[in-house]
Amino acid sequence: MKFLFFIRKFLISFEFVCILIGIMAYMLFSEELDINLSRMQINPDTVKFVVTIPMIIFGWIWKSGQSFFQRGSPRAKILVNWPGYFHLKQNFIVGMVYSVFSLVICLLSILNREISALNVISFICGLSVISVVALNFYFADSTIKDILEEVNEV
């Protein structure tokens, strides 16, 4: 049952929609994009800057995710007894899986050094997915803070 819930969360998500959009973009626009990319000159310093963006976002996701589940803290004790804890933890796991895969895709597409439609679309798709995960973690963190404030008021 828990595995099916994980699969459902994985396949029915904004992150998966971003991946599908990336696949569709590659299928529809790869030839035109390859032609336009072959005409462009890209500054190597730009590539050095762009490669850090997914790593920075991943670092924030990792730090934010760790703060959700710090064992032994009063926050964790309250969250474990919260009825929606299972869903929160599953969403966290799905988000971490998406962010790791997205970071790997982004790094592979940049390290390939070939400027092609596949690499550009893969990078943009990976960056989109990791950004959606970061937004989800941000909103989850604010929701957790609201829940903890409600508990502290009681």
Side-chain angles (χ1 to χ4, degrees):
M1 182 66 180
K2 290 182 179 183
F3 182 72
L4 291 176
F5 183 77
F6 175 80
I7 294 296
R8 185 179 69 108
K9 285 286 185 186
F10 195 80
L11 295 177
I12 302 174
S13 63
F14 289 116
E15 294 91 345
F16 194 70
V17 170
C18 288
I19 292 170
L20 292 178
I21 289 171
I23 292 169
M24 286 179 22
Y26 180 74
M27 291 172 59
L28 296 174
F29 304 114
S30 63
E31 293 173 10
E32 294 87 5
L33 189 58
D34 273 330
I35 291 169
N36 289 330
L37 287 172
S38 66
R39 297 179 191 159
M40 293 175 62
Q41 291 292 332
I42 296 179
N43 188 350
D45 291 335
T46 304
V47 174
K48 290 177 187 174
F49 170 73
V50 168
V51 75
T52 61
I53 296 171
M55 291 189 285
I56 291 169
I57 295 172
F58 180 79
W60 182 85
I61 289 171
W62 185 261
K63 180 183 163 284
S64 178
Q66 292 299 318
S67 69
F68 287 158
F69 302 107
Q70 289 179 347
R71 300 280 183 218
S73 69
R75 181 180 181 172
K77 291 176 184 175
I78 294 170
L79 284 177
V80 168
N81 294 325
W82 179 55
Y85 179 74
F86 171 75
H87 296 287
L88 176 70
K89 191 168 183 178
Q90 289 296 314
N91 287 338
F92 169 76
I93 292 169
V94 168
M96 288 306 294
V97 168
Y98 269 124
S99 64
V100 167
F101 283 135
S102 298
L103 180 65
V104 168
I105 293 297
C106 286
L107 292 178
L108 288 177
S109 64
I110 288 290
L111 295 176
N112 193 353
R113 301 264 187 219
E114 179 186 344
I115 299 173
S116 66
L118 178 62
N119 289 336
V120 170
I121 291 174
S122 296
F123 181 81
I124 292 171
C125 182
L127 187 61
S128 300
V129 169
I130 206 166
S131 298
V132 169
V133 171
L135 280 172
N136 285 339
F137 276 40
Y138 174 77
F139 292 134
D141 189 47
S142 64
T143 302
I144 288 171
K145 287 177 183 174
D146 292 342
I147 291 167
L148 293 175
E149 284 185 22
E150 287 178 15
V151 170
N152 288 335
E153 290 176 0
V154 173

